[in-house]
Amino acid sequence: MNTKIAIIGLGYVGLPLAHAFSKKYKVIGFDIAQWRINELRSGLDRTLELSGQQLQEAIANGMEFTNQLENIADCNIYIVTVPTPIDEHKRPDLTPLIKASESIGKVLKKNDIVIYESTVYPGATEEECVPVLEKFSGLKFNEDFFCGYSPERINPGDKEHTVTKILKVTSGSTPEIGKNVDALYASIITAGTHLAPSIKVAEAAKVIENSQRDVNIAFVNELAIIFNKLGIDTEAVLQAAGTKWNFLPFRPGLVGGHCIGVDPYYLTYKAQEIGYNPEIILAGRRLNDNMGIYVANQVIKLMIQKGQKIEGSKVLVLGITFKENCPDIRNSRVIDVIHELQEFGTDVEVYDPWADPEEVKREYGLDLLSSIDNVYDAVVLAVAHDKFNELDIEKLKNGHDTVVYDIKSKLRESDGKL
């Protein structure tokens, strides 16, 4: 078979994957956003996952970008890398996944393979996506077309653990298709592959990876709250405990992003659907979801202790992205800190040289500072961008009563930290 691959969704996951496959196969990147297609064709990736040189390299290898379905109609492998968010009630929102399946169904042909990479709950591929593919193609699953699931393991902003250097879990809707999917990924993944026995196993493996991290971070967040009440330095405690060989090196913080702060809700949704209430996972989610409010309250308490007037005070928040050295603002929990500080009547300004001002305005209604020209009554280090190492915190203070709160434990001196 002459393999021709269509990557559906060209964000943080799809674009690096398309680039990797383009070195060995004919690849067409499909995205519904015309502006995204235009910027990629011009050699620009605003996610910064690929450099301009890497994009030009992929284009030179024959990779194309399109938002027209007819341009992917002659592909025989379709890989879906669209987002799977949650709604305002923290329930899975499969809309992008269903829409992508509808589009593929319109061009699906006999013997084609559709592989999903988007994070879902166990069973979603076969229970939600396959019926859509059958409906829009008129073909029969596992007779006319086949499916696979290979969960994405992209770490936005990480230039060391890139897509080909992270071991890939694979699966297929039949044993033979499983081997085919595994061989496809093995041809580009230098770290190796792991063929799971079924699509459901692969789906479950993905969703528990981030659920496990979420619970562990919730644990150290709770420790941070306890140690703060006891007047103990949490970081010092974790360093001491970390001298034991099997102590896990998790650190407290705001848990956002499109993975750790979202994926557990996919698992808990499915668990509740079958009549089980997942207590530990939901408890961890509740604690992590409330950390932004906790941080803001700690900042206000420290300001009051220093005799500051809260109403109208100026607060600088450093960072709005969900993690350091990355432009991704999706599900950033820094916004919880900002909103809570605003509820107290403070005047909050936000500075983040990594974030796209237009995207922040559209997503959160905030105007980012282009430069820092004021002094502040409180400074909150929310995201540990390397660029913040160059800042002179002393010059940001509005006198000796300014509160410096270090969420990421990166500053040598601060009034408070997690």
Side-chain angles (χ1 to χ4, degrees), residues 295-315:
V295 166
N297 278 269
Q298 291 302 113
V299 172
I300 296 298
K301 285 181 181 179
L302 289 167
M303 292 175 72
I304 292 172
Q305 288 169 10
K306 289 197 174 189
Q308 293 198 35
K309 179 179 179 293
I310 303 303
E311 182 76 25
S313 61
K314 293 188 73 66
V315 180

Side-chain angles (χ1 to χ4, degrees), residues 13 17 79-81 115-119 149-152 168 185:
V13 176
L17 186 68
I79 303 179
V80 181
T81 59
I115 304 169
Y116 291 88
E117 289 214 359
S118 307
T119 301
Y149 184 80
S150 181
E152 59 89 359
K168 202 86 161 69
Y185 280 99

Side-chain angles (χ1 to χ4, degrees), residues 36-97:
R36 180 64 170 160
I37 298 302
N38 293 341
E39 72 175 17
L40 291 175
R41 285 174 177 170
S42 71
L44 172 67
D45 171 28
R46 70 174 58 201
T47 70
L48 304 181
E49 290 301 300
L50 292 187
S51 66
Q53 182 179 345
Q54 287 175 310
L55 261 180
Q56 294 301 336
E57 174 190 83
I59 293 170
N61 287 337
M63 186 163 76
E64 301 173 21
F65 302 108
T66 186
N67 66 343
Q68 301 299 314
L69 268 182
E70 58 264 28
N71 292 336
I72 62 171
D74 62 341
C75 293
N76 43 35
I77 303 286
Y78 296 90
I79 303 179
V80 181
T81 59
V82 298
T84 42
I86 52 175
D87 63 19
E88 65 272 19
H89 304 296
K90 302 189 186 304
R91 296 177 302 198
D93 180 4
L94 298 180
T95 304
L97 204 61

Side-chain angles (χ1 to χ4, degrees), residues 195-239:
L195 177 57
S198 69
I199 286 177
K200 281 186 179 180
V201 167
E203 291 169 328
K206 169 57 181 176
V207 81
I208 71 164
E209 288 175 15
N210 288 320
S211 297
Q212 183 186 64
R213 286 183 57 79
D214 193 41
V215 169
N216 277 304
I217 296 171
F219 173 63
V220 294
N221 274 339
E222 189 163 63
L223 292 180
I225 294 171
I226 294 169
F227 293 148
N228 179 57
K229 290 182 177 293
L230 293 173
I232 301 173
D233 186 332
T234 303
E235 180 63 23
V237 174
L238 294 174
Q239 286 181 9

Side-chain angles (χ1 to χ4, degrees), residues 312-317 337-343 345-350 366-367 369 376:
S313 61
K314 293 188 73 66
V315 180
L316 174 66
V317 173
V337 179
I338 295 168
H339 284 163
E340 188 71 6
L341 289 171
Q342 290 172 332
E343 284 288 312
T346 66
D347 178 13
V348 181
E349 295 184 341
V350 184
L366 294 174
D367 293 308
L369 296 176
Y376 299 89

Side-chain angles (χ1 to χ4, degrees), residues 268-292:
T268 58
Y269 168 83
K270 190 63 178 179
Q272 290 168 331
E273 192 179 59
I274 58 173
Y276 179 77
N277 186 48
E279 297 181 16
I280 292 176
I281 300 172
L282 284 175
R285 278 284 72 235
R286 283 193 298 272
L287 197 145
N288 284 340
D289 275 347
N290 286 315
M291 285 308 290

